[in-house]
Amino acid sequence: MLKDIPQTPVTDVAIAIVPVVSVDDENPEEALWQVYILNLKDEPIDNVIVSSKGYGSYQGESVKTSVLRQYLGTIEANSFMQVEAIQKKVTGLNNEYWVSFYINKDIFDKKYVFLPETINEDFYTNIPLINLRGVMIR
């Protein structure tokens, strides 16, 4: 049963969203961000699967994006991989990334949710490994 499944916390794995096309006053809808998964551990993580979706309200209407599932394989120690690109119009939604992976024979998973309007400069931080500024959840 559920009580028999170990609930091991995920540490040193993060999701970061970094701008690749900056927002300007003339074309704010053309802004583009790249989503990365970071393995900050000193060991690789294997069989990495990322499920992503957006949901919430856009221009007063309820919106859900498609659910994307990606198999990323192995992410080496202290490295990162690109997950997807997102457009300006989805930054006002909840952006959810569910990450599952193995270390040895143990399975881990964690949900990362970027709340509406948090993907902006007010919340930028230095992203380790990538050496760029963006928004990150550990």
Side-chain angles (χ1 to χ4, degrees):
M1 304 304 244
L2 276 177
K3 64 179 178 56
D4 298 324
I5 299 172
Q7 299 297 317
T8 310
V10 173
T11 59
D12 298 329
V13 174
I15 297 288
I17 301 178
V18 176
V20 290
V21 176
S22 63
V23 179
D24 64 27
D25 293 333
E26 294 179 22
N27 299 307
E29 293 302 313
E30 292 181 15
L32 187 65
W33 284 265
Q34 183 63 50
V35 180
Y36 296 94
I37 180 169
L38 292 84
N39 177 10
L40 303 167
K41 296 178 173 299
D42 291 329
E43 60 188 326
I45 57 177
D46 298 312
N47 295 321
V48 179
I49 297 174
V50 178
S51 175
S52 61
K53 67 180 178 179
Y55 55 90
S57 178
Y58 180 72
Q59 296 180 343
E61 294 189 31
S62 181
V63 176
K64 289 183 182 179
T65 67
S66 299
V67 176
L68 299 175
R69 293 176 187 90
Q70 298 182 62
Y71 175 74
L72 301 177
T74 298
I75 302 176
E76 296 300 327
N78 295 302
S79 65
F80 62 94
M81 275 191 181
Q82 293 181 353
V83 176
E84 66 179 351
I86 59 173
Q87 298 175 329
K88 170 66 176 168
K89 59 186 167 186
V90 299
T91 61
L93 301 175
N94 293 297
N95 286 277
E96 178 182 299
Y97 298 89
W98 192 291
V99 178
S100 298
F101 59 91
Y102 283 87
I103 298 176
N104 300 318
K105 293 183 180 184
D106 296 322
I107 189 166
F108 296 82
D109 70 336
K110 183 174 180 176
K111 185 186 333 182
Y112 302 82
V113 179
F114 292 85
L115 298 175
E117 307 301 334
T118 59
I119 303 172
N120 68 57
E121 282 188 65
D122 294 341
F123 300 99
Y124 280 10
T125 186
N126 291 320
I127 308 298
L129 305 176
I130 301 172
N131 297 319
L132 295 171
R133 290 186 54 77
V135 182
M136 182 175 73
I137 299 176
R138 260 187 140 161

